[in-house]
C-alpha cells in the first residue's frame, strides 16, 4: 500500500506538471489576439476562485486562524507569480519566461543565506551557481541581452515571487496548527482575484476577444475554449493534483518533479506555437532545470538537539565505561 501511494503521488505530480505547463501556450494566443496580460491573469485567477469557492466555504475557519498566511499566499504565490509570468511571456518566448521563473528555488537559497542568515549546504550553493550560468545562456548575455530586457526582468520578478511562495509555505507548516492546503489554495485564489481586480481593472476587458477566435500556431481556436483550459486545467486541476501529490510524496520530491513544467511548456510552445529556441538557450534551459533540481534536492542537516540537564550523553558512554573499568 505504501509503494502504491508513492506511485500514485508520482503520477499526480507528473499530471500536475503537464497541466501547469499548458497554461502559457493557451494564454499567449489570447494575449496576442488583443487581451491584456493583466486581464488574462484576472480571468484565470477569478475563474479559479469561483470554481474553488466551495472549498473556501468548507475551510472558512482559516480566515480566523491563518489570516496573514492567506494574505501572503494570495498576494505572492497567486497574484504575483501569475501577473509577472504572463507579463513576461507577452514579451519573450513561453519556455524562456518559465525557465526564468524557475530560478525561484535558487533565489530562495540566497534569501535563506543572506536575509535569514542561516547556513546552506554546498550542494544548494552549487545548484544556485549552475542556475545562474544557465540564465546567462538563456538570455544569450554574450550577444548583448538579445531578449527583450523588460520581459527578462518580469520573468525574474516571477522567480522572486515563487521564492517567497516557499517562504510562506514553510511558515504555514510551523507548529501543530497546520492549515489544510486545499483551503489555503482556495482562499489564495480569492485574495489573488481581489488584488488583481484592483490592478487589472477587469471592467476594461475587451470582451469581443473572448467571443472570437485566437491563432494557436496555424490553427484558429475558440477563445473561450482556450480560457476554459487555462482556468479549469492549468489552474484548478493543476493546483489540486499538485497538492495531493505533495501529500503522497514529500514536498522535496514533488517540487523536483514540478520542474518538468518548464520542459513541457517549452516543448508545447515549440510544437503548437512554433517558438524555436537556439542551441545555447536549450543548453541554458537544461542548466537552469539542473540547478533547480540540485537546489531543491539539497537539505540542511538538522542541528543536534541539546542534551537536557541530567540526561545521559550517548557520546560520553565509552568514556564512562573506561572510567568504571579503571
Amino acid at each position: 500500500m505504501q509503494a502504491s501511494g508513492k506511485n500514485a503521488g508520482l503520477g499526480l505530480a507528473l499530471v500536475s506538471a503537464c497541466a501547469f505547463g499548458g497554461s502559457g501556450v493557451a494564454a499567449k494566443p489570447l494575449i496576442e489576439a488583443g487581451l491584456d496580460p493583466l486581464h488574462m491573469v484576472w480571468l484565470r485567477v477569478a475563474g479559479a476562485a469561483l470554481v474553488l469557492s466551495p472549498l473556501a466555504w468548507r475551510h472558512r475557519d482559516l480566515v480566523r486562524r491563518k489570516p496573514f498566511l492567506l494574505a501572503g499566499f494570495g498576494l505572492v504565490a497567486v497574484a504575483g507569480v501569475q501577473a509577472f509570468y504572463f507579463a513576461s511571456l507577452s514579451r519573450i518566448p513561453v519556455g524562456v519566461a518559465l525557465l526564468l521563473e524557475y530560478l525561484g528555488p535558487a533565489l530562495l537559497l540566497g534569501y535563506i543565506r543572506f536575509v535569514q542568515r542561516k547556513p546552506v549546504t554546498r550542494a544548494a550553493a552549487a545548484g544556485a551557481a549552475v542556475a545562474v550560468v544557465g540564465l546567462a545562456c538563456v538570455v544569450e548575455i554574450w550577444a548583448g541581452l538579445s531578449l527583450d530586457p523588460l520581459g527578462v526582468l518580469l520573468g525574474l520578478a516571477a522567480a522572486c515571487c515563487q521564492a517567497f511562495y516557499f517562504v510562506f509555505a514553510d511558515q504555514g507548516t510551523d507548529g501543530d496548527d497546520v492549515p489544510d492546503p486545499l483551503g489555503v489554495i482556495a482562499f489564495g485564489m480569492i485574495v489573488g482575484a481581489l488584488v488583481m481586480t484592483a490592478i487589472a481593472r477587469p471592467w476594461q476587458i475587451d470582451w469581443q476577444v473572448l467571443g472570437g477566435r485566437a491563432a494557436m500556431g496555424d490553427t484558429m481556436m475558440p477563445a473561450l475554449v482556450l480560457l476554459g483550459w487555462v482556468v479549469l486545467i492549468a489552474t484548478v486541476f493543476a493546483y489540486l493534483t499538485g497538492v495531493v501529490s505533495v501529500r503522497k510524496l514529500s514536498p522535496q520530491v514533488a517540487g523536483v518533479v514540478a520542474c518538468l513544467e518548464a520542459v513541457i511548456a517549452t516543448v508545447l510552445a515549440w510544437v503548437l506555437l512554433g517558438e524555436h529556441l537556439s542551441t545555447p538557450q536549450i543548453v541554458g534551459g537544461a542548466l537552469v532545470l539542473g540547478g533547480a533540481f540540485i537546489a531543491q534536492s539539497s537539505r540542511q542537516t538538522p542541528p543536534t538537539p541539546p542534551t537536557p540537564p541530567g540526561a545521559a550523553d550517548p557520546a560520553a558512554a565509552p568514556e564512562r565505561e573506561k572510567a568504571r573499568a579503571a
Side-chain angles (χ1 to χ4, degrees):
M1 290 296 294
Q2 184 177 5
S4 176
K6 289 182 178 179
N7 290 335
L10 180 60
L12 287 172
L14 291 172
V15 169
S16 178
C18 291
F20 272 123
S23 64
V25 294
K28 188 158 188 175
L30 295 175
I31 295 174
E32 292 180 340
L35 199 63
D36 186 270
L38 288 178
H39 291 163
M40 181 68 244
V41 176
W42 182 85
L43 289 169
R44 179 182 186 178
V45 176
L50 181 63
V51 174
L52 293 174
S53 56
L55 278 177
W57 177 255
R58 180 179 180 182
H59 299 284
R60 57 189 180 275
D61 62 314
L62 285 177
V63 177
R64 173 182 54 83
R65 291 166 46 207
K66 301 287 184 179
F68 296 107
L69 173 63
L70 300 181
F73 189 87
L75 287 171
V76 177
V78 177
V81 173
Q82 301 303 328
F84 285 123
Y85 171 60
F86 276 109
S88 176
L89 68 83
S90 69
R91 307 181 70 92
I92 59 178
V94 171
V96 177
L98 196 53
L99 288 169
L100 291 174
E101 180 186 341
Y102 266 89
L103 279 176
L107 295 178
L108 175 64
L109 295 176
Y111 176 84
I112 293 173
R113 179 65 181 87
F114 298 107
V115 178
Q116 295 185 339
R117 298 187 180 279
K118 296 179 181 179
V120 296
T121 63
R122 291 183 178 180
V130 170
V132 171
V133 173
L135 172 62
C137 294
V138 169
V139 301
E140 295 182 338
I141 195 170
W142 55 85
L145 201 64
S146 60
L147 294 175
D148 186 305
L150 180 57
V152 172
L153 290 177
L154 291 170
L156 291 175
C160 292
C161 289
Q162 189 195 58
F164 276 99
Y165 156 74
F166 290 105
V167 174
F168 282 112
D170 181 65
Q171 290 178 354
T173 57
D174 289 340
D176 299 328
D177 188 19
V178 179
D180 191 301
L182 299 181
V184 173
I185 290 175
F187 277 106
M189 292 296 171
I190 293 175
V191 172
L194 294 175
V195 173
M196 290 308 304
T197 298
I199 297 175
R201 299 178 181 180
W203 51 87
Q204 298 178 353
I205 292 178
D206 185 0
W207 298 102
Q208 293 182 354
V209 174
L210 298 179
R213 303 173 75 87
M216 178 178 281
D218 298 330
T219 305
M220 298 300 295
M221 297 286 295
L224 287 177
V225 171
L226 295 175
L227 178 61
W229 179 275
V230 170
V231 172
L232 298 177
I233 304 299
T235 306
V236 175
F237 181 72
Y239 268 100
L240 293 182
T241 53
V243 168
V244 175
S245 72
V246 172
R247 300 183 75 173
K248 290 182 176 292
L249 300 170
S250 66
Q252 177 183 355
V253 175
V256 171
V257 176
C259 289
L260 291 174
E261 175 190 342
V263 178
I264 294 167
T266 304
V267 172
L268 290 176
W270 195 322
V271 174
L272 298 177
L273 302 182
E275 293 185 351
H276 298 278
L277 302 178
S278 65
T279 300
Q281 287 177 321
I282 295 175
V283 174
L287 289 175
V288 172
L289 290 179
F293 180 90
I294 295 172
Q296 292 195 30
S297 298
S298 62
R299 279 186 179 270
Q300 177 68 36
T301 304
T304 304
T307 304
D313 185 0
E319 299 298 331
R320 289 197 300 268
E321 293 298 329
K322 292 180 182 179
R324 290 195 189 101

